[in-house]
Amino acid sequence: GAQGGFGRPAPLPQTGWERLSELWRRDEQRQYPEEAVNIAKSAFTAGVVGWLYGGLPAFVSARKAFIESSHGEIFQNRADAVQSAHRAGLRSFVRYGWRWSWRVAAFATMFNVVSTSLSAYRDKTTISNFAAAGAFTGALFRVHLGLQGLAGGIVFGTAFGVPVGGLLMAMYGLAGETLQEKRNRERRELYEQKLAEWQSRLSMTEILGETENNAQGRAEMEGAREL
């Protein structure tokens, strides 16, 4: 309340934990940071891609298997046979598509959360952040398989994170700045704007106070003369 009125604007986050906390907090317009929004968008996209990756081959395979195994069945007409084949494929599409969808979405979300958090905490975006995020995510998904699965998950995750990080760093290079650099710039510009407004209000308050004191002093002097 004080900061929104006449209080001095809150200083920029200085520590990694402060930057990390701000990353998942809404701003004054009740909007989440761009990084958090991108994580949600990538999770949805990964879910759709995973569903198509797992569902389409299952649809084709189930439809083909139904046709091959239904030569002896009797259908009312050709349309009924086609619809039955499509229903068999659709059931496999939903079943196997969902299996792949939630796994791919969960992997992408965990990877992006860890890499984004590392970039915010360290206040810089590097390929090592993506490599570490891939290793952590891969290990988390394979930890139930024991030490061998854990090691395999780390290797797979690192092999996934390095090229993805390299691709993103190349895209950031073309854009001229990373998301972390963009966020720092926008945060600094907003702080400077708020600070200038606060100083302007403070100066106006001081001027009004001096004017009020002068008016009060003149009123007291006039009152003294009347007496």
Side-chain angles (χ1 to χ4, degrees):
Q3 293 178 0
F6 293 98
R8 185 185 181 92
L12 298 176
Q14 301 297 325
T15 66
W17 289 113
E18 290 177 350
R19 290 189 295 270
L20 194 60
S21 174
E22 188 182 52
L23 187 64
W24 313 108
R25 189 171 60 242
R26 292 183 180 183
D27 57 19
E28 297 176 352
Q29 286 75 36
R30 307 298 297 171
Q31 295 179 349
Y32 285 103
E34 183 179 359
E35 295 91 336
V37 175
N38 289 341
I39 290 175
K41 291 181 179 179
S42 65
F44 176 79
T45 303
V48 173
V49 172
W51 200 303
L52 295 177
Y53 179 82
L56 289 179
F59 176 87
V60 175
S61 178
R63 188 175 182 275
K64 182 179 178 180
F66 178 84
I67 294 174
E68 293 177 349
S69 63
S70 62
H71 290 301
E73 297 185 17
I74 299 176
F75 298 96
Q76 296 179 359
N77 49 49
R78 180 178 177 82
D80 183 34
V82 172
Q83 290 177 1
S84 298
H86 279 307
R87 284 195 294 269
L90 185 60
R91 286 193 295 269
S92 293
F93 176 81
V94 173
R95 179 182 178 184
Y96 292 98
W98 167 248
R99 287 184 180 181
W100 276 95
S101 178
W102 76 263
R103 287 179 171 86
V104 174
F107 187 93
T109 301
M110 182 61 65
F111 175 82
N112 287 324
V113 167
V114 175
S115 62
T116 302
S117 299
L118 286 174
S119 297
Y121 185 83
R122 300 177 63 190
D123 201 22
K124 61 180 180 179
T125 303
T126 62
I127 294 181
S128 61
N129 293 348
F130 299 100
F136 177 83
T137 307
L140 186 64
F141 269 71
R142 305 285 290 183
V143 67
H144 65 284
L145 299 178
L147 292 178
Q148 186 175 358
L150 183 65
I154 292 175
V155 173
F156 169 79
T158 304
F160 171 82
V162 170
V164 170
L167 178 60
L168 291 176
M169 292 299 296
M171 294 174 61
Y172 293 149
L174 294 176
E177 60 181 356
T178 65
L179 287 179
Q180 186 63 31
E181 293 170 345
K182 178 183 178 182
R183 180 165 177 76
N184 289 340
R185 174 178 57 80
E186 293 177 346
R187 185 193 295 121
R188 183 175 61 255
E189 292 174 352
L190 181 61
Y191 174 76
E192 293 175 352
Q193 177 184 350
K194 289 183 177 180
L195 184 61
E197 293 175 354
W198 174 76
Q199 292 175 342
S200 177
R201 291 196 301 268
L202 185 62
S203 299
M204 183 62 65
T205 303
E206 293 176 351
I207 293 174
L208 291 175
E210 292 178 358
T211 303
E212 182 178 355
N213 291 335
N214 293 336
Q216 184 177 359
R218 287 195 298 269
E220 291 176 352
M221 292 179 62
E222 291 177 359
R225 291 195 189 100
E226 292 177 358
L227 292 176

